[in-house]
Amino acid sequence: MRYSATAAAGFALLSSTLPAAAQIGPPAAVNWGGPYVGLNLGGEWTRLGSSATIPATGGRVSQTAHDTNITGGGQAGYNWQLNNFVLGVEGDFRGGGPSGSGRVGAANGGFVAGDNFNTSSSWNASARGRVGYAFGPALLYATGGIAFADVSMKANYVGGGSSSDSTVLMGPTAGGGLEYALTPNVSVGAEYRYTDYGHDHVNLGRRATAAGLVPVTGNVSLREQAILAKVNYHFGAPPPPPAPLPAAMPAPPPPPAPKVFIVFFDWDKANITSDGMAIIQQAAAAYRSGGPVQIQVTGYTDRSGSPSYNQRLSERRANAVANALSQQGVPRNQMAVSGHGENDNRVPTADGVREPQNRRVEITAP
């Protein structure tokens, strides 16, 4: 088995990235769309065939090498996602490959015992399409396309002389895999692929024979099965959507205007008239229907007397209304009773004017 520098780098990446990513936990849903890059590391089981022919004499030798190798490299791709279906393209490049050697045991049409041939491949690559189905944080997919591999063949001839040539084989590749998202940007997966790189001719120079120097033609072929562990970084994962803005709270309704009931009095009187009693009954009914709240009972006078007299008169009027309210079922401790005298006239007047609308008690319920 041959280890490539690329394989070692892939192994280092896997060992350092996966534990940290696994601690984060998989996302509930994954957007597989967009570009990604990654590394791969795995094993390949190969069949490397080669033969050398001297057309002028009919001499031919052949060999088949079955080899197992560790291989590694990188990949890059782009996905498009529609609901749960994912379409994509991917290209990869891997280092490492099989090798084989053979030696001629007996003279054969110009070849002599001891002639040897070495065949090897050092890299392969592919360009493929992918079609998959996403479920939760996983993506199950099939892949297929065209693969390429270099193959070199070298001949060492007894008696002196050597020649080498290389070619790039091309053939179909197909397989499938499973990819799992550790985070919205990091995924790991495993993939199996079968590849038939086909065959091609190489030029192995000229071999000295009894008939003189004659050209030697080589033929190489390569088939491969590979299982790869892969880690990818996805650039296309979108940022999480912003949290929805809280619904605007409706403006609180304006507080209800206080209810005001006005009881009017005759000039220089604190007696409640029949009209005034009807107003008091309305105020008491409003109090009982709206629950227990403190109400304001405020007495006023006009400006026809002295300020001190008017103050006392306004207080008598306020107390008279408060007593009437109490008789209607309004507790006295739920009333704030006061007199404002000739202040705060409802109708502004000059001093000494008898204004009926200023002779009043206002009952205010919040």
Side-chain angles (χ1 to χ4, degrees):
M1 294 190 293
R2 297 187 300 158
Y3 293 82
S4 68
T6 310
F11 180 79
L13 176 73
L14 288 170
S15 60
S16 63
T17 302
L18 300 185
Q23 296 176 5
I24 301 175
V30 178
N31 181 357
W32 294 97
Y36 63 90
V37 296
L39 295 180
N40 59 70
L41 178 67
E44 57 184 11
W45 293 261
T46 57
R47 178 188 183 278
L48 179 62
S50 62
S51 64
T53 304
I54 302 178
T57 63
R60 187 176 187 275
V61 294
S62 62
Q63 62 185 22
T64 300
H66 296 274
D67 203 0
T68 301
N69 310 284
I70 286 182
T71 181
Q75 65 271 346
Y78 195 99
N79 288 328
W80 295 267
Q81 182 166 356
L82 178 62
N83 297 325
N84 292 89
F85 293 96
V86 179
L87 299 177
V89 292
E90 183 177 285
D92 70 347
F93 183 92
R94 290 183 283 122
S99 64
S101 62
R103 182 180 296 273
V104 177
N108 178 2
F111 294 116
V112 300
D115 286 350
N116 65 81
F117 303 89
N118 299 306
T119 310
S120 65
S121 175
S122 60
W123 62 263
N124 60 71
S126 70
R128 294 169 285 106
R130 302 202 313 170
V131 57
Y133 185 83
F135 52 99
L139 173 65
L140 183 66
Y141 65 90
T143 183
I146 299 296
F148 310 86
D150 82 313
V151 178
S152 299
M153 188 172 182
K154 183 177 181 179
N156 297 295
Y157 301 121
V158 173
S162 66
S163 180
S164 64
D165 194 12
S166 63
T167 185
V168 175
L169 301 180
M170 181 178 69
T173 182
L178 179 66
E179 197 166 350
Y180 186 85
L182 296 178
T183 76
N185 296 99
V186 177
S187 67
V188 295
E191 181 177 286
Y192 167 83
R193 290 218 310 270
Y194 175 81
T195 308
D196 184 348
Y197 294 98
H199 62 88
D200 196 8
H201 297 287
V202 292
N203 181 7
L204 298 181
R206 293 177 178 273
R207 177 72 171 97
T209 67
L213 292 175
V214 292
V216 181
T217 300
N219 187 282
V220 292
S221 63
L222 177 62
R223 297 177 184 176
E224 171 195 274
Q225 296 184 76
I227 295 179
L228 302 172
K230 306 173 77 172
V231 57
N232 287 322
Y233 184 86
H234 298 261
F235 297 96
L245 295 175
M249 297 296 293
K259 299 176 182 179
V260 180
F261 302 88
I262 301 177
V263 180
F264 292 103
F265 289 83
D266 293 333
W267 181 77
D268 198 26
K269 302 293 186 183
N271 298 32
I272 300 173
T273 66
S274 58
D275 291 341
M277 183 56 69
I279 297 298
I280 290 172
Q281 290 171 349
Q282 292 177 20
Y287 170 84
R288 291 193 298 271
S289 65
V293 295
Q294 189 179 62
I295 60 177
Q296 305 288 329
V297 181
T298 309
Y300 301 90
T301 69
D302 58 25
R303 303 190 66 189
S304 60
S306 67
S308 59
Y309 179 81
N310 287 337
Q311 177 63 36
R312 291 191 297 274
L313 178 59
S314 69
E315 292 172 359
R316 291 201 306 275
R317 288 172 174 170
N319 283 313
V321 171
N323 291 334
L325 285 169
S326 180
Q327 293 172 4
Q328 295 294 320
V330 180
R332 188 62 184 257
N333 61 6
Q334 293 294 306
M335 290 182 269
V337 183
S338 62
H340 284 193
E342 60 184 52
N343 300 311
D344 300 328
N345 291 159
R346 196 162 186 254
V347 178
T349 66
D351 190 26
V353 174
R354 298 180 181 183
E355 171 54 52
Q357 292 197 54
N358 290 339
R359 303 192 294 265
R360 73 200 191 279
V361 169
E362 292 183 0
I363 306 169
T364 304

